[in-house]
Amino acid sequence: MTLEEIRGQENAMENADSAGTALEELLVAAKKQDYLTVGVYESAKVMNVDPDSVAFCVLATDEEYECDFALQIHFTLIQAFCFDNDINVVRVNDIERLADLVGADATGEPKDAHCILVTSPSADPWKDPALDKLSLFCEESRSVYDWVPAITLPER
């Protein structure tokens, strides 16, 4: 490992805390703008119909779902799609917190927060400082071969 790679890893670890805050800010802002797609199947539909509208992808799991092979296959396919279409993707290990951030469905049940897409109209792309911070974080992570970086959301 070279000195540059070690420094890159240290910078990525230092930026992970601010990335968690930026992710929370992004999800709250995107929810207000109605730019969120929540759920594995819903996200797959959006990616299939309008991949250019996807600006960012969040994959979430916890210990309960680590052995769910169908979910892991979906994650692998979503990650591959994101890589092929230059979409930044991160992992979050606190699915309950993500579900709180994205809200409930029409019946009041928590939404399936295993996959969350931040979308933006292709004609008028949405700009957000938190999205820029997360893009930089993902770029720095890829420079040290961390293709799907993990982010920890800040405590409430």
Side-chain angles (χ1 to χ4, degrees):
M1 184 174 273
T2 66
L3 184 59
E4 289 82 17
E5 290 173 336
I6 292 171
R7 286 187 183 149
Q9 283 181 337
E10 290 171 354
N11 288 341
M13 290 172 66
E14 289 171 5
N15 291 335
D17 291 336
S18 64
T21 303
L23 179 60
E24 184 175 15
E25 291 170 3
L26 176 66
L27 293 175
V28 169
K31 181 180 176 185
K32 288 179 184 175
Q33 297 287 328
D34 198 27
Y35 288 164
L36 284 183
T37 301
V38 181
V40 173
Y41 297 107
E42 293 81 358
S43 297
K45 287 181 208 173
V46 169
M47 289 177 166
N48 189 39
V49 174
D50 191 11
D52 293 334
S53 71
V54 180
F56 197 77
C57 179
V58 179
L59 299 176
T61 189
D62 57 16
E63 291 177 10
E64 180 182 344
Y65 294 99
E66 283 180 359
C67 294
D68 185 340
F69 295 115
L71 183 62
Q72 297 308 317
I73 290 169
H74 286 294
F75 280 2
T76 301
L77 294 172
I78 289 169
Q79 288 174 19
F81 180 87
C82 290
F83 295 151
D84 286 346
N85 290 282
D86 295 323
I87 299 167
N88 289 318
V89 57
V90 296
R91 263 193 197 261
V92 175
N93 290 330
D94 192 349
I95 193 164
E96 291 177 10
R97 181 77 191 289
L98 278 176
D100 287 343
L101 286 171
V102 298
D105 62 15
T107 64
E109 291 293 317
K111 291 184 179 179
D112 170 23
H114 285 105
C115 183
I116 301 171
L117 298 180
V118 176
T119 58
S120 177
S122 300
D124 185 24
W126 179 54
K127 299 292 181 192
D128 187 270
L131 182 59
D132 293 337
K133 287 178 189 176
L134 288 167
S135 295
L136 181 61
F137 172 75
C138 288
E139 186 178 318
E140 289 174 354
S141 296
R142 282 191 300 272
S143 73
V144 293
Y145 305 108
D146 186 4
W147 301 105
V148 184
I151 292 179
T152 302
L153 293 170
E155 295 294 322
R156 283 192 186 186

